[in-house]
Amino acid sequence: MRDVIIIGAGVTGAAVARELSKYNIDVCVLEKGEDVCSGTSKANSAIIHAGFDAEEGSLMAKMNVRGNEMMDDLCKDLDIPFKRNGSLVVCIHEEAKDGLQTLYDRGVENGVKGLRIIDKEELRELEPNISDKAVAALLAPTGGIICPFELNIAMAENANVNGVDFFFNTEVEDITVDDDKIYHLRTNNGEYKAKYVVNAAGVYADKIHNMVSENKIKIVPRRGDYCLLDKEVGGYVSHTIFPQPTELGKGVLVSPTIHGNLIVGPTAIDIEDKEGTNTTAEGIEKLTAKASDHVKNLPMRKVITSFSGLRAHETHHEFIIEEVKDAPHFIDCAGIESPGLTSSPAIGEYVGAMMKKMMNLEEKTNWIKTRKGITHPSDLSFEERKELIKKHPEYGNIICRCESVTEGEIIEAIHRPLGARSLDGVKRRTRAGMGRCQAGFCSPKTMEIIHRELGLDYEQITKNGGKSTIVLERTKGEK
Ligand SMILES: Cc1cc2nc3c(=O)[nH]c(=O)nc-3n(C[C@H](O)[C@H](O)[C@H](O)COP(=O)(O)OP(=O)(O)OC[C@H]3O[C@@H](n4cnc5c(N)ncnc54)[C@H](O)[C@@H]3O)c2cc1C
């Protein structure tokens, strides 16, 4: 039996796992996907929001601002890239300028530092490609950009190194509680028992909550479509450009990504299907039109891929992070929609403090705070790279030409704690397949490396687990 079981290995579950790994307790994470970062945490705008959007005094606002504050130190400790590029909420109608003041006031109330309303001349100086219709903007210098995969993976790896076990392809199907108040979690891989449970199941957090509580909640998947543009136009804007928000959210943004692409999106459409991550032509048309209101001559011919993500929208648009009233020792992290990525370290800290008190936890003396990321030869100087390749020639063998990813990086990704087992697992850890050709060239080569390093047959290698095999059967040679 475990002390704590966390359901879900997205950013929320990973952040809670890392925080609980500081204590002398037995913790595990159950994840239905084949890897960490299988849900919403893999498909979002990857913005570290400043914190002026969420309602004053809400838990969402507190988590947003605290998460934003924590990001510099956390990213240094976990060796992941993060940049405060600043965000701009752009007003395109003279009569809507008051809305910027409302956001400014809310931001100040929430504790966001450095906010400023700027006029159109300053805005144009900062962003030459801003729409000619722009009349003013709210500048938030603390807004930033991050790699959502690396944040999720790094927190999980660090938790794992500190003793948290992760079980993948393990879906919680039912939960019961016995007379000793022990939770029994029935999964497709047998039963797991724990004294405490943390529900970090993203869009499925309602399903998990409703297994133990009479006070039902409902999470509506709110789909957002995106286009990702080639690095050639990654510098089209330097800040994250937002429109003024509506009741459906923060609107369609245009932003550089931390790895130098340009991202445009998301739309916002409420759907029923919790797996409904298909993009639609209508969605893409809508986001192009909306983004073009704020940024002129958007280079949409440079799109290299489109994708969509599902926000875990709860009716009250507030994070639910609490012990469930009629299910003692069962903690919900539900309704974690945007700004959930930004808030994740703060949610981890909050749940950690809550459980420390509830469980009377003692801190470990040997907790490892830092984690070293994968060696990327393209980040090294010429001399350093030469030295590395002399010792380890696999770092001189380029597998993904678009993103300059080497065999050495892919081998590292496979053999790290919670290492990659699929093409997407490799992609999220190294960026192999993330570039202009979208894995057209490197997939077979990456499969060869997975086959060799993990001893998997080609027919067993998947894109992202489950039935997503790539090779169906051999047509030549031995069967
Ligand atoms: C379009 C869009 C844009 C966004 N933009 C931003 C942004 O720019 N900045 C920001 O801060 N936030 C943003 N967000 C929000 C952010 O992405 C989410 O809040 C965050 O990723 C949620 O993480 P999570 O761990 O709670 O959920 P998830 O990442 O969905 O993780 C939940 C995990 O639980 C697993 N699971 C579910 N059911 C079960 C089960 N029964 N058994 C076992 N495992 C289970 C799932 O497989 C999944 O891996 C955006 C979201 C969307 C959709």
Side-chain angles (χ1 to χ4, degrees), residues 409-465:
E409 290 161 271
I410 296 174
I411 295 173
E412 261 196 73
I414 291 170
H415 293 298
R416 292 179 72 80
L418 308 179
R421 299 184 64 80
S422 64
L423 284 182
D424 280 1
V426 168
K427 178 169 81 173
R428 289 190 203 112
R429 286 166 178 81
T430 65
R431 299 189 54 74
M434 200 74 95
R436 188 178 293 171
C437 90
Q438 287 289 298
F441 175 78
C442 64
S443 285
K445 293 184 165 225
T446 305
M447 286 175 72
E448 269 173 40
I449 301 170
I450 296 176
H451 161 73
R452 186 189 71 211
E453 296 296 318
L454 291 176
L456 290 177
D457 287 339
Y458 284 98
E459 294 88 334
Q460 292 176 300
I461 299 173
T462 63
K463 178 165 168 20
N464 52 20

Side-chain angles (χ1 to χ4, degrees), residues 161-173:
V161 164
N162 283 299
V164 175
D165 293 320
F166 284 71
F167 298 99
F168 297 111
N169 301 307
T170 302
E171 178 169 2
V172 176
E173 295 167 341

